[in-house]
Amino acid sequence: MRKLVVAFVVLAGFAGLVGIGAVTVLLSGGGGRAGWSSCSSDLGPWGDGQERGERDATTLSAESVDIAQRIIEVGQQRGLPPRAWQIAIQAGKTESNLTNVNYGDRDSLGIFQMRPSMGWGSAQQVTDVDYAINKFYDVLLAVPGWEEMRPGTAAQKVERSAFPLRYHRWEAMAAHLVSTEGNVAGFSGCEDLPSAGVLAGQALQYAHAQLGKPYVWGAAGPNSFDCSGLTQQAWKAAGVEIPKYSQTQYFQGGVHVPLNQAQPGDLVFWGKGRDPRGIHHVALYLGDEQVLHAPQPGESVEVEKLWDGGELLPMVVRPAADTPPEEAAAPAVDGQR
């Protein structure tokens, strides 16, 4: 719940923010959203696609390529579609750089940093390449609707990481490996999958449809919302999963971008003393110094002029970025599996 602010103060630099006209273009649905299953190769690069995938693949060690090949082979033997291979490769690259490591956070081990203490198998099993790959596939197949998810989102459903967006970083590389090592037709049919701007438009379209619905603390639709419930469900409508609470949305909901570079669909936050640890409110940025949000009890979802009040954070969060930030390819340290 946000603290009521009477005075309207805008931080310096807002003159450079994106205008509301950009939202009109996005909300027109330009490009549409192709379903993941409609992609003819069952792969799907995201953002800059093929070129980045080829470039990232050249950085892999011989061991990593061998493991990627084995992931594909096991998937083929099990009759799984190329999408499943891609998801497993993205997860393995994120968790261990596609290496069969015998260390990790707490008791995390192997390609996918599986934890024996969490029921993934014994230490010997989870460091057996074929066992780990098959176990990953077993859990993936139990995820409802995994075929229609963005591959990194499906990987997160298996891994259950505290940092759900990091799996997207290797999407293009995994698609490239599936294409080259798995002998699957290239990227044809996938190039028009939605960009970050189109996804933001879809999130905002959902949010606009909620205008006038009452604020209820802890609610996440369909008839009422609190601030973070609205932002979570708006981005979910665009196929992007973000955490439920405003503080976790700030720390784990996407890429941090300076406020004066905000784009429509970005998440704007307020916290006591501009401290992320004191965040108490979140809103969707619309452009033209306007936000769409669920304000507080007794009020309804509305569009409002962006305010400061000494609490507006200098960074926004972009849940879907075409190029995620670089991250070290090291075993997971969150221990959430």
Side-chain angles (χ1 to χ4, degrees), residues 36-37 81 83 87 143-149 154:
W36 287 109
S37 62
R83 177 58 50 76
I87 293 166
V143 174
W146 66 268
E147 304 96 325
E148 294 297 324
M149 296 175 184

Side-chain angles (χ1 to χ4, degrees), residues 264-287:
D266 289 349
L267 305 181
V268 184
F269 298 86
W270 287 260
K272 186 175 181 181
R274 307 195 202 281
D275 184 351
R277 293 168 296 182
I279 287 173
H280 55 78
H281 191 63
V282 59
L284 290 156
Y285 184 67
L286 295 179

Side-chain angles (χ1 to χ4, degrees), residues 27 200-213 225 230-231 233-235 237 284 286 292-293 301-303:
L27 293 180
Q202 292 168 349
L204 292 177
Q205 189 171 35
Y206 174 92
H208 274 278
Q210 314 314 312
L211 288 171
K213 292 186 178 180
F225 297 87
L230 177 64
T231 53
Q233 293 304 308
W235 274 102
L284 290 156
L286 295 179
L292 192 159
H293 67 145
V301 177
E302 65 180 7
V303 173

Side-chain angles (χ1 to χ4, degrees), residues 134-145:
N134 276 290
K135 186 67 173 179
F136 183 93
Y137 283 141
D138 289 344
V139 177
L140 174 66
L141 294 176
V143 174

Side-chain angles (χ1 to χ4, degrees), residues 240-298:
V240 178
E241 299 280 351
I242 62 174
K244 169 61 176 75
Y245 302 106
S246 56
Q247 285 193 23
T248 50
Q249 286 179 7
Y250 182 85
F251 288 108
Q252 302 170 21
V255 177
H256 287 94
V257 178
L259 182 60
N260 63 3
Q261 297 175 25
Q263 296 178 5
D266 289 349
L267 305 181
V268 184
F269 298 86
W270 287 260
K272 186 175 181 181
R274 307 195 202 281
D275 184 351
R277 293 168 296 182
I279 287 173
H280 55 78
H281 191 63
V282 59
L284 290 156
Y285 184 67
L286 295 179
D288 197 29
E289 297 178 16
Q290 290 190 320
V291 294
L292 192 159
H293 67 145
Q296 61 185 3

